[in-house]
Amino acid sequence: QQQVKQSPQSLIVQKGGISIINCAYENTAFDYFPWYQQFPGKGPALLIAIRPDVSEKKEGRFTISFNKSAKQFSLHIMDSQPGDSATYFCAASFNKFYFGSGTKLNVKP
Amino acid sequence: DTAVSQTPKYLVTQMGNDKSIKCEQNLGHDTMYWYKQDSKKFLKIMFSYNNKELIINETVPNRFSPKSPDKAHLNLHINSLELGDSAVYFCASSQEGQGVGGELFFGEGSRLTVL
């Protein structure tokens, strides 16, 4: 049973466009929601994270939107660049991390 | 200087063999983990150690045995390898346990291929 559901599985965006990846969870005990970025041949690395007492967090071109009542959160990448092409994982944490299934983002030049 | 390093990066072996993957972190973290990433990129935790003590042991076949000689090292030994063990295994560490939302620092992964 997957605790965190992520969509879409893959995403193609033109350079300069907005990339949006969505995640949903069921367990209201989750209290930390990070996004990890993974390049081919590398391990995942923390990109940005949010706690449920905040509805939005922005770091540069990356924004997390969090909807506690809907139990959903999303990653928005503004002005997407080819260098953003990677696999993105959402996660939710309570006593351990539960990862989404990943979204492979391809930003076309 | 690599924060979380794991060796070997690639492993190709026959079914039934035994293999080990080593992991070391130089971040001074108390908690270390092993994750498995399958061919569909799904990341699943296998084990978690806090200061050499086993904290999380997911439903993993007992052919997998982690060992933590000290808090900077966490090794993974796999007995009687099966085709389904083929995956990328990631070591990770964090300053705090996962329960407080500590950032995970991952190694570059060890790709295991069982023929």
Side-chain angles (χ1 to χ4, degrees):
Chain A
Q1 172 192 353
Q2 206 168 334
Q3 296 271 355
V4 180
K5 294 183 179 174
Q6 182 173 347
S7 63
Q9 192 174 2
S10 63
L11 185 59
I12 299 174
V13 172
Q14 289 295 126
K15 179 183 173 183
I18 303 174
S19 304
I20 302 174
I21 304 170
N22 300 301
C23 284
Y25 64 96
E26 284 299 323
N27 191 342
T28 55
F30 289 138
D31 60 2
Y32 179 66
F33 300 87
W35 285 88
Y36 279 78
Q37 180 188 54
Q38 184 180 24
F39 292 105
K42 302 292 185 184
L46 179 66
L47 183 63
I48 187 172
I50 197 167
R51 294 204 182 265
D53 53 346
V54 175
S55 62
E56 186 175 282
K57 183 173 182 181
K58 185 175 181 179
E59 288 183 3
R61 295 183 295 107
F62 301 91
T63 301
I64 299 179
S65 296
F66 187 83
N67 186 329
K68 190 172 181 178
S69 60
K71 292 186 282 188
Q72 294 175 348
F73 59 110
S74 59
L75 176 70
H76 295 236
I77 307 175
M78 312 299 287
D79 187 26
S80 299
Q81 299 297 313
D84 297 331
S85 297
T87 300
Y88 292 81
F89 294 92
C90 63
S93 171
F94 168 41
N95 58 359
K96 61 185 178 184
F97 279 101
Y98 295 87
F99 283 89
S101 52
T103 297
K104 187 172 183 179
L105 172 65
N106 186 2
V107 181
K108 297 277 193 189
Chain B
D1 204 15
T2 306
V4 181
S5 58
Q6 48 184 115
T7 56
K9 194 170 173 69
Y10 299 98
L11 267 170
V12 181
T13 189
Q14 299 288 331
M15 262 187 358
N17 284 352
D18 303 339
K19 288 293 176 187
S20 291
I21 307 171
K22 295 186 175 182
C23 179
E24 176 182 3
Q25 55 96 2
N26 62 8
L27 297 167
H29 290 166
D30 284 337
T31 308
M32 294 186 72
Y33 314 82
W34 279 110
Y35 278 83
K36 180 181 180 181
Q37 187 172 48
D38 62 24
S39 57
K40 295 184 179 178
K41 298 289 189 183
F42 193 63
L43 270 168
K44 193 172 189 307
I45 190 168
M46 301 173 69
F47 303 102
S48 167
Y49 270 75
N50 182 274
N51 203 9
K52 301 194 298 175
E53 182 183 342
L54 182 64
I55 300 298
I56 294 174
N57 184 351
E58 289 296 289
T59 311
V60 177
N62 56 16
R63 298 181 294 103
F64 290 79
S65 52
K67 281 191 172 52
S68 181
D70 56 61
K71 75 173 195 177
H73 295 85
L74 180 62
N75 303 323
L76 182 66
H77 187 76
I78 315 169
N79 289 326
S80 305
L81 278 156
E82 300 178 357
L83 292 176
D85 298 333
S86 295
V88 181
Y89 293 85
F90 285 100
C91 177
S93 72
S94 66
Q95 177 64 31
E96 300 153 337
Q98 294 190 82
V100 291
E103 177 183 352
L104 289 172
F105 290 80
F106 285 87
E108 295 206 333
S110 296
R111 180 177 292 277
L112 171 65
T113 303
V114 183
L115 303 174

